[in-house]
Amino acid sequence: MIRVLIADDHPVVRQGLRTFLDLQDDITVVGEAGDGAEAVELVGELAPDVLLLDLKMPVLDGRGALERLSGVSTRVVVLTSVSDRSDVGPAMRAGASGFLYKDVDPTALVQAVRAVHGGQVLLAPEAAEAMLAGEGGGAARPAPVPLTEREREVLALIAAGRSNREIARSLLVAEKTVKTHVSNVLMKLGVQDRTQAALYAVRHGLA
């Protein structure tokens, strides 16, 4: 089961999300938070697999919560009604694994929860455009790190949430070879894990 925590300051929104998500055979809602501080506290207590996090909340907003959740294993999906494109970059840099808007189709939201839980990085089309256009809060993006053609292929597949075994099958190479490529990609990008590598791919249009 995918254990989900919902953080939103509107009870009606929380109830609607809970009702729909609990209908899924592989998803269960383990808790609800009405503000960012409560969300951080409940993540520590409940250790959910996925946190659906609104950005505009009292006490502590979504970005503040993301900063406090740095390093936790819970995968965070920002789910917001705010259409400010400048929110996307800071949220993703702060550790979000997904960025969606509240007008998302319910079925697509369920698919997003499953995808993010499976290791993928997922952005709404508008959010992806904002990232790729470099509108992530005004900070200049560093030049892409030079990768070999094979490493770029591996990075794209990492961003798609593929395992080493699946990458090996896709590229028709040994899994041991894929592990070497993944290690080289992480080292060249200066990142610690596959999620950070996937975020790099999204930011630089390599996904």
Side-chain angles (χ1 to χ4, degrees):
M1 295 290 286
I2 303 174
R3 304 171 70 255
V4 175
L5 174 67
I6 300 169
D8 194 291
D9 61 333
H10 292 95
V12 173
V13 173
R14 296 199 305 270
Q15 183 59 47
L17 290 171
R18 173 186 280 274
T19 299
F20 186 77
L21 291 174
D22 276 341
L23 291 174
Q24 313 306 312
D25 293 336
D26 58 340
I27 297 175
T28 183
V29 176
V30 296
E32 300 177 18
D35 59 64
E38 186 180 10
V40 173
E41 181 179 352
L42 288 178
V43 167
E45 293 178 2
L46 303 173
D49 299 308
V50 177
L51 166 63
L52 296 180
L53 179 69
D54 190 15
L55 285 182
K56 305 300 181 183
M57 293 186 293
V59 185
L60 181 69
D61 64 12
R63 285 179 59 180
L66 275 168
E67 291 171 358
R68 295 191 187 183
L69 291 171
S70 175
V72 301
S73 60
T74 298
R75 310 270 294 175
V76 181
V77 177
V78 170
L79 184 62
T80 181
S81 59
V82 179
S83 59
D84 188 347
R85 292 161 66 93
S86 66
D87 284 327
V88 182
M92 299 304 289
R93 284 195 293 272
S97 298
F99 196 105
L100 300 173
Y101 297 101
K102 288 182 179 177
D103 60 356
V104 63
D105 181 83
T107 302
L109 176 60
V110 170
Q111 293 172 344
V113 169
R114 291 170 178 151
V116 168
H117 177 255
Q120 297 185 42
V121 176
L122 195 145
L123 301 173
E126 302 89 344
E129 290 175 6
M131 287 292 296
L132 298 181
E135 296 180 12
R141 293 188 300 175
V145 174
L147 300 174
T148 66
E149 185 62 30
R150 178 62 84 189
E151 288 168 350
R152 288 168 64 94
E153 292 175 338
V154 170
L155 177 58
L157 291 169
I158 289 174
R162 304 288 182 83
S163 67
N164 284 353
R165 178 172 298 180
E166 291 170 330
I167 294 174
R169 290 175 179 172
S170 178
L171 300 181
L172 301 178
V173 297
E175 189 172 348
K176 183 177 180 180
T177 301
V178 172
K179 290 181 179 179
T180 299
H181 286 313
V182 171
S183 296
N184 290 339
V185 168
L186 297 183
M187 181 183 65
K188 287 185 177 182
L189 299 185
V191 298
Q192 297 180 345
D193 55 39
R194 299 167 77 97
T195 298
Q196 292 178 354
L199 287 174
Y200 179 96
V202 171
R203 291 167 184 157
H204 294 282
L206 301 175

